[in-house]
Amino acid sequence: MNMPAAPSAGPTPTAIAAAATVPSTKAFVETAAAANQFEISSSQLAIKTSKNKKVVEFAKHMVKDHTEIGKNFVAALGKANTGITPPAGIGSELDAIMTRLKSESGAAFDADYIAVQTKAHQDAVGLFAGYAKGGDNPVLQEFAKKTLPVIEMHLRMCYALATK
Protein backbone atom coordinates (compact mmCIF):
# COMPACT_ATOMS: atom_id res chain seq x y z
CA MET A 1 0.00 0.00 0.00
CA ASN A 2 1.44 3.34 -1.02
CA MET A 3 0.99 5.79 1.85
CA PRO A 4 2.16 9.37 2.05
CA ALA A 5 4.86 9.99 4.62
CA ALA A 6 3.86 12.24 7.50
CA PRO A 7 5.18 15.70 6.71
CA SER A 8 7.54 17.22 9.24
CA ALA A 9 6.54 20.71 8.19
CA GLY A 10 5.19 22.54 5.24
CA PRO A 11 4.21 25.97 4.09
CA THR A 12 3.13 28.28 6.88
CA PRO A 13 -0.53 29.20 7.16
CA THR A 14 0.47 32.77 6.29
CA ALA A 15 2.21 31.66 3.09
CA ILE A 16 -0.77 29.51 2.09
CA ALA A 17 -3.18 32.39 2.77
CA ALA A 18 -1.06 34.83 0.76
CA ALA A 19 -1.11 32.50 -2.26
CA ALA A 20 -4.82 31.66 -1.98
CA THR A 21 -7.13 32.33 -4.90
CA VAL A 22 -10.74 33.38 -4.43
CA PRO A 23 -13.18 30.49 -4.96
CA SER A 24 -16.72 30.96 -6.20
CA THR A 25 -19.40 30.90 -3.51
CA LYS A 26 -20.63 27.54 -4.85
CA ALA A 27 -17.11 26.05 -4.69
CA PHE A 28 -16.57 27.47 -1.20
CA VAL A 29 -19.86 26.07 0.14
CA GLU A 30 -19.47 22.64 -1.43
CA THR A 31 -15.78 22.21 -0.56
CA ALA A 32 -16.09 23.57 2.99
CA ALA A 33 -19.06 21.31 3.76
CA ALA A 34 -17.35 18.14 2.50
CA ALA A 35 -14.01 18.99 4.08
CA ASN A 36 -15.55 19.73 7.46
CA GLN A 37 -17.48 16.46 7.47
CA PHE A 38 -14.32 14.61 6.45
CA GLU A 39 -12.41 16.18 9.36
CA ILE A 40 -15.05 14.92 11.78
CA SER A 41 -15.37 11.43 10.26
CA SER A 42 -11.64 10.79 9.91
CA SER A 43 -10.98 12.08 13.42
CA GLN A 44 -13.74 9.91 14.90
CA LEU A 45 -12.01 6.98 13.19
CA ALA A 46 -8.67 8.05 14.69
CA ILE A 47 -10.18 8.16 18.18
CA LYS A 48 -11.27 4.53 17.74
CA THR A 49 -8.23 3.27 15.84
CA SER A 50 -5.11 4.99 17.16
CA LYS A 51 -3.23 3.82 20.21
CA ASN A 52 -1.09 6.98 20.18
CA LYS A 53 -2.23 9.30 22.97
CA LYS A 54 -1.16 12.47 21.08
CA VAL A 55 -2.99 11.40 17.92
CA VAL A 56 -6.14 10.63 19.92
CA GLU A 57 -5.96 13.99 21.74
CA PHE A 58 -5.54 15.78 18.41
CA ALA A 59 -8.44 13.84 16.89
CA LYS A 60 -10.74 14.72 19.82
CA HIS A 61 -9.79 18.38 19.35
CA MET A 62 -10.64 18.12 15.63
CA VAL A 63 -14.06 16.56 16.32
CA LYS A 64 -14.89 19.27 18.85
CA ASP A 65 -13.72 22.21 16.73
CA HIS A 66 -15.09 20.95 13.42
CA THR A 67 -18.47 20.15 14.98
CA GLU A 68 -18.60 23.79 16.11
CA ILE A 69 -17.41 25.00 12.69
CA GLY A 70 -20.16 22.90 11.09
CA LYS A 71 -22.84 24.50 13.28
CA ASN A 72 -21.53 27.98 12.47
CA PHE A 73 -21.38 27.10 8.76
CA VAL A 74 -25.01 25.94 8.69
CA ALA A 75 -26.08 29.11 10.49
CA ALA A 76 -24.09 31.33 8.10
CA LEU A 77 -25.36 29.46 5.06
CA GLY A 78 -28.93 29.93 6.28
CA LYS A 79 -28.41 33.70 6.57
CA ALA A 80 -26.45 33.99 3.32
CA ASN A 81 -29.43 33.33 1.00
CA THR A 82 -27.22 31.71 -1.65
CA GLY A 83 -29.71 29.08 -2.76
CA ILE A 84 -26.79 26.63 -2.63
CA THR A 85 -27.34 23.33 -0.86
CA PRO A 86 -24.14 21.51 0.06
CA PRO A 87 -24.01 17.99 -1.35
CA ALA A 88 -24.63 15.11 1.02
CA GLY A 89 -21.56 13.09 1.84
CA ILE A 90 -17.91 13.92 1.37
CA GLY A 91 -17.35 13.03 -2.28
CA SER A 92 -15.52 10.17 -3.95
CA GLU A 93 -11.98 11.44 -3.34
CA LEU A 94 -12.47 11.83 0.42
CA ASP A 95 -14.48 8.58 0.55
CA ALA A 96 -11.45 6.79 -0.95
CA ILE A 97 -9.20 8.27 1.73
CA MET A 98 -11.63 7.15 4.45
CA THR A 99 -11.66 3.62 2.99
CA ARG A 100 -7.86 3.57 3.02
CA LEU A 101 -7.68 4.86 6.61
CA LYS A 102 -10.19 2.20 7.73
CA SER A 103 -7.88 -0.50 6.37
CA GLU A 104 -4.89 0.67 8.41
CA SER A 105 -3.78 0.28 12.01
CA GLY A 106 -0.91 1.11 14.32
CA ALA A 107 1.90 3.40 13.23
CA ALA A 108 0.81 3.17 9.58
CA PHE A 109 -2.63 4.53 10.47
CA ASP A 110 -1.16 7.31 12.62
CA ALA A 111 1.27 8.44 9.91
CA ASP A 112 -1.39 8.40 7.21
CA TYR A 113 -3.98 10.14 9.40
CA ILE A 114 -1.49 12.92 10.25
CA ALA A 115 -0.51 13.29 6.59
CA VAL A 116 -4.15 13.41 5.51
CA GLN A 117 -5.01 15.95 8.21
CA THR A 118 -2.06 18.10 7.21
CA LYS A 119 -3.04 18.15 3.54
CA ALA A 120 -6.71 18.75 4.40
CA HIS A 121 -5.83 21.71 6.61
CA GLN A 122 -3.43 23.17 4.04
CA ASP A 123 -6.26 23.01 1.51
CA ALA A 124 -8.74 24.46 4.00
CA VAL A 125 -6.45 27.39 4.87
CA GLY A 126 -6.23 28.20 1.17
CA LEU A 127 -9.98 27.87 0.67
CA PHE A 128 -10.95 29.97 3.70
CA ALA A 129 -8.23 32.58 3.16
CA GLY A 130 -9.26 32.99 -0.46
CA TYR A 131 -12.93 33.42 0.38
CA ALA A 132 -12.14 35.68 3.34
CA LYS A 133 -10.22 38.07 1.11
CA GLY A 134 -12.53 38.13 -1.88
CA GLY A 135 -15.70 36.06 -1.50
CA ASP A 136 -18.78 37.66 -2.99
CA ASN A 137 -21.24 36.75 -0.22
CA PRO A 138 -20.70 39.02 2.81
CA VAL A 139 -22.21 36.57 5.32
CA LEU A 140 -20.06 33.66 4.15
CA GLN A 141 -17.04 35.93 3.83
CA GLU A 142 -17.43 36.89 7.50
CA PHE A 143 -17.76 33.19 8.42
CA ALA A 144 -14.55 32.47 6.50
CA LYS A 145 -12.71 35.32 8.26
CA LYS A 146 -13.83 34.13 11.71
CA THR A 147 -13.04 30.47 10.99
CA LEU A 148 -9.65 30.93 9.31
CA PRO A 149 -7.62 31.42 12.54
CA VAL A 150 -8.97 28.12 13.92
CA ILE A 151 -8.02 26.24 10.76
CA GLU A 152 -4.57 27.87 10.76
CA MET A 153 -4.12 26.70 14.37
CA HIS A 154 -5.14 23.17 13.31
CA LEU A 155 -2.50 23.23 10.56
CA ARG A 156 0.18 24.27 13.04
CA MET A 157 -0.99 21.42 15.31
CA CYS A 158 -0.63 19.00 12.37
CA TYR A 159 2.94 20.13 11.77
CA ALA A 160 3.78 19.76 15.47
CA LEU A 161 2.22 16.30 15.60
CA ALA A 162 4.15 15.19 12.52
CA THR A 163 7.48 16.10 14.13
CA LYS A 164 6.89 14.07 17.31
Side-chain angles (χ1 to χ4, degrees):
M1 178 163 300
N2 192 4
M3 284 184 317
S8 58
T12 65
T14 306
I16 294 169
T21 58
V22 180
S24 69
T25 297
K26 182 173 172 45
F28 176 75
V29 167
E30 291 177 354
T31 305
N36 196 62
Q37 185 53 53
F38 173 76
E39 292 297 333
I40 294 168
S41 298
S42 62
S43 294
Q44 287 170 331
L45 178 63
I47 292 166
K48 287 189 259 178
T49 304
S50 182
K51 304 291 185 251
N52 182 316
K53 185 179 174 197
K54 291 193 182 310
V55 170
V56 172
E57 286 173 13
F58 171 80
K60 286 179 179 176
H61 196 99
M62 293 304 100
V63 170
K64 177 180 172 286
D65 284 2
H66 282 279
T67 299
E68 185 66 25
I69 288 169
K71 287 177 190 168
N72 294 338
F73 176 70
V74 168
L77 192 57
K79 290 180 196 159
N81 295 320
T82 63
I84 300 167
T85 303
I90 59 176
S92 60
E93 187 179 329
L94 295 177
D95 269 334
I97 293 170
M98 282 298 297
T99 299
R100 185 181 75 224
L101 286 170
K102 287 175 183 175
S103 75
E104 298 170 339
S105 62
F109 172 86
D110 292 342
D112 198 12
Y113 171 72
I114 294 164
V116 163
Q117 287 296 311
T118 301
K119 173 77 168 84
H121 282 93
Q122 288 169 338
D123 292 348
V125 167
L127 179 72
F128 277 73
Y131 205 83
K133 70 181 172 188
D136 62 9
N137 184 290
V139 174
L140 292 176
Q141 188 178 30
E142 186 59 27
F143 164 74
K145 286 178 184 175
K146 285 183 177 176
T147 306
L148 182 58
V150 176
I151 297 169
E152 290 174 335
M153 175 192 65
H154 291 171
L155 180 55
R156 288 189 294 272
M157 290 169 71
C158 288
Y159 290 157
L161 196 56
T163 60
K164 299 242 183 279

